[in-house]
Amino acid sequence: RGRPSWPFNSVHVLNALVRAKAKGYAVPADMFNRAMSYARSIEQRYPDYYPEEVRRAITSYALYVRKLAGDVDVARAKGLIKEAGGVDKLPLEADGWLLGVMAGSSDATDERKAILRHLDNKVSETAGAANWTTGYADGNYLIMHSDRRVDAVVLESLIAEAPKDDLIPK
């Protein structure tokens, strides 16, 4: 309270609240509603020094968490891809979150296919493992970047979109 919020951390807190609520834990309604409102207006929350790729990643994360809460915005997910100039212009983590937002949506068939193709092209695969490596240059600290989290985000969205994908067991 009384201090500036960090957009990624705020979305991360909402993620925890959504998952706690889904498991039956009591989540104060006022806190949850304020966090959802924050996530809906995330693009107005970025300090001017945030790089564009960090902004897009956090926006993707906010859209994904909103979907987990039942507030699906496929149109904004598609718009974000278009604004970036395609899925290959977004960080892999953002692609993973956006795939999760659009998983199974008939309104985003082309975007889903493009993300799956891009992820297939960027995977580092061995006989027993698969991972995706990415970075945010000077913005890593703004989103607590981790290659393992990228793998987890992509895996969770792959399971939702393409549960029979050969990469999932790896």
Side-chain angles (χ1 to χ4, degrees):
R1 295 185 185 263
R3 299 188 61 137
S5 65
W6 289 73
F8 180 85
N9 294 1
S10 296
V11 175
H12 208 52
V13 167
L14 176 58
N15 188 2
L17 293 174
V18 168
R19 291 176 188 268
K21 193 174 182 181
K23 292 291 184 183
Y25 290 94
V27 174
D30 183 54
M31 178 192 305
F32 184 82
N33 292 336
R34 283 183 292 136
M36 283 294 291
S37 177
Y38 186 96
R40 286 185 192 106
S41 64
I42 194 70
E43 292 174 291
Q44 286 75 50
R45 308 289 184 159
Y46 301 128
D48 58 354
Y49 61 88
Y50 272 40
E52 195 61 40
E53 67 179 355
V54 168
R55 292 170 188 244
R56 288 184 177 135
I58 298 171
T59 299
S60 300
Y61 187 30
L63 288 167
Y64 178 73
V65 174
R66 285 175 51 201
K67 180 185 180 177
L68 294 178
D71 183 20
V72 183
D73 194 349
V74 171
R76 181 65 195 116
K78 290 171 59 173
L80 191 59
I81 293 169
K82 186 175 181 179
E83 290 165 19
V87 297
D88 59 323
K89 304 291 191 235
L90 290 165
L92 291 175
E93 191 169 38
D95 286 330
W97 280 317
L98 292 175
L99 181 61
V101 171
M102 298 181 291
S105 172
S106 60
D107 293 340
T109 302
D110 293 340
E111 291 82 2
R112 291 174 18 235
K113 286 180 183 176
I115 291 173
L116 288 172
R117 184 174 47 256
H118 182 62
L119 292 174
D120 281 345
N121 290 337
K122 292 294 184 177
V123 68
S124 176
E125 188 176 6
T126 65
N131 68 332
W132 293 266
T133 304
T134 189
Y136 294 87
D138 293 335
N140 281 346
Y141 75 99
L142 296 170
I143 62 166
M144 299 185 285
H145 174 70
S146 160
D147 285 335
R148 297 296 66 86
R149 186 176 70 215
V150 174
D151 292 344
V153 166
V154 171
L155 177 60
E156 185 173 42
S157 292
L158 272 178
I159 290 169
E161 174 61 24
K164 295 188 187 296
D165 192 297
D166 293 340
L167 295 174
I168 292 171
K170 292 181 178 187

